[in-house]
């Protein structure tokens, strides 16, 4: 049974780091210096476990408040390759969006690589039109606003 848990700062990085290293460093070829940064010290991290005993971590991501305003940013969304396509990434992103909304976010943003934009759009994120380069890879900025999600059911509204 799928299970998710939030951690503050560097707590449980021993479970998060291997997932990020496998996906971002090994699979995508990013430098460890880019994947792990100072934001990890204050971010809220979410880990998805394949089991209710929380012994098999399979996905991880983070959330932090953007310096100005009430916006929060989601980042470092990673699901182990053999576990993709099973809903774990969707569960992880919804956990982080829900946490941001509970903390008073008006808007949650993230940067998506081109191949993942449709994944985030299914959750309710919309492109802002902004793009940027990170580690030589183009990213599109996506957002979801507090009033575009039904908190009770997490269904995106029209």
């Amino acid at each position: 049974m799928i299970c998710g848990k939030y951690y503050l700062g560097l707590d449980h990085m021993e479970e998060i780091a291997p997932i990020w290293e496998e996906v971002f460093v090994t699979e995508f070829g990013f430098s460890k210096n880019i994947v792990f940064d100072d934001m990890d010290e204050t971010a809220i991290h979410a880990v998805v476990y394949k089991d209710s005993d929380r012994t098999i971590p399979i996905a991880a991501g983070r959330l932090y408040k953007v310096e100005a305003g009430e916006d929060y940013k989601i980042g470092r969304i990673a699901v182990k390759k053999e576990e993709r396509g099973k809903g774990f990434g969707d569960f992880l992103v919804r956990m982080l969006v829900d946490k941001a909304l509970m903390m008073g976010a008006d808007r949650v943003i993230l940067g998506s690589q081109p191949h993942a934009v449709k994944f985030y759009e299914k959750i309710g994120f919309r492109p802002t039109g902004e793009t940027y380069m990170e580690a030589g890879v183009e990213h599109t900025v996506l957002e979801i606003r507090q009033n575009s999600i039904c908190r009770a059911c997490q269904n995106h509204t029209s």
Side-chain angles (χ1 to χ4, degrees):
M1 180 173 148
I2 189 173
C3 177
K5 182 121 172 98
Y6 300 105
Y7 299 104
L8 182 59
L10 301 176
D11 191 26
H12 285 263
M13 281 305 282
E14 72 277 1
E15 294 179 348
I16 298 163
I19 296 169
W20 286 358
E21 285 183 28
E22 178 183 318
V23 173
F24 296 118
V25 178
T26 305
E27 188 176 338
F28 294 138
F30 296 156
S31 165
K32 276 189 181 183
N33 296 337
I34 292 172
V35 176
F36 300 94
D37 59 27
D38 293 341
M39 293 308 302
D40 290 323
E41 294 176 20
T42 57
I44 294 170
H45 293 89
V47 178
V48 175
Y49 299 89
K50 195 170 184 174
D51 61 326
S52 59
D53 293 332
R54 295 194 306 258
T55 58
I56 308 169
I58 55 170
R62 72 180 185 186
L63 171 73
Y64 57 90
K65 189 171 184 179
V66 178
E67 290 181 24
E70 298 301 317
D71 293 348
Y72 282 76
K73 184 170 185 179
I74 291 175
R76 305 296 188 263
I77 299 299
V79 178
K80 288 185 166 198
K81 195 171 192 172
E82 66 273 11
E83 300 297 346
R84 292 182 196 154
K86 300 176 184 177
F88 299 123
D90 183 277
F91 183 78
L92 173 64
V93 172
R94 289 177 192 274
M95 278 181 66
L96 292 166
V97 168
D98 192 53
K99 179 59 91 174
L101 295 177
M102 286 190 295
M103 294 172 64
D106 179 51
R107 179 175 85 133
V108 181
I109 60 173
L110 58 80
S112 174
Q113 294 179 31
H115 71 272
V117 169
K118 291 208 182 303
F119 164 78
Y120 292 112
E121 287 178 331
K122 287 179 185 175
I123 293 170
F125 282 86
R126 297 291 172 249
T128 66
E130 300 172 59
T131 61
Y132 64 94
M133 297 296 284
E134 183 176 3
V137 177
E138 183 179 342
H139 287 71
T140 299
V141 178
L142 302 168
E143 69 177 11
I144 193 165
R145 294 205 171 257
Q146 192 264 2
N147 61 359
S148 70
I149 252 189
C150 169
R151 283 183 179 219
C153 61
Q154 289 291 306
N155 286 332
H156 133 65
T157 60
S158 301

